[in-house]
Amino acid sequence: MSASIAFAFDRPRSHFNKNGSLKASAPTHCSKRIGDLDKLCRAVFDSLDTANVVNDDSQFVSLYAHRRFTLKNEQPCAIITVTALD
């Protein structure tokens, strides 16, 4: 099996000006959030195992994962795609 996971986090208020626009100094990438990427993925794999989506998370042979900031009007989330391999 293969997994693709996108973790979307809200930007901190410090990234915005008082008028609500994004500061020029705000980072492009979500690199200073709580939760290491490997720990976030481990939590997802454990939940897939617990929810009986997969028999065992050791079945995964491929993983693509990234963290990003939420888009306008998007809620924080994890977008998870599991693909069966031949």
Side-chain angles (χ1 to χ4, degrees), residues 21-61:
S21 64
L22 192 61
K23 291 181 179 178
S25 61
T28 303
H29 300 285
C30 184
S31 59
K32 294 186 178 182
R33 296 293 297 181
I34 297 173
D36 295 337
L37 191 57
D38 63 325
K39 291 179 181 149
L40 293 168
C41 290
R42 197 174 331 150
V44 167
F45 283 154
D46 288 346
S47 66
L48 292 174
D49 195 11
T50 302
N52 293 320
V53 175
V54 296
N55 292 329
D56 188 350
D57 58 10
S58 67
Q59 294 176 296
F60 287 97
V61 297

Side-chain angles (χ1 to χ4, degrees), residues 1-6 44-45 48 60 62-64 78-84:
M1 289 193 180
S2 175
S4 172
I5 310 169
V44 167
F45 283 154
L48 292 174
F60 287 97
S62 174
L63 169 64
Y64 172 75
I79 301 167
I80 305 163
T81 304
V82 175
T83 306

Side-chain angles (χ1 to χ4, degrees), residues 6-11 16 22 28 66 68-77 79:
F7 298 97
F9 293 94
D10 278 337
R11 284 184 176 272
F16 297 95
L22 192 61
T28 303
H66 68 277
R68 64 173 176 82
F69 291 116
T70 54
L71 304 173
K72 189 174 186 175
N73 299 321
E74 181 184 30
Q75 296 293 315
C77 62
I79 301 167

Side-chain angles (χ1 to χ4, degrees), residues 8-21:
F9 293 94
D10 278 337
R11 284 184 176 272
R13 289 183 186 200
S14 61
H15 287 195
F16 297 95
N17 294 313
K18 289 184 181 182
N19 66 2
S21 64

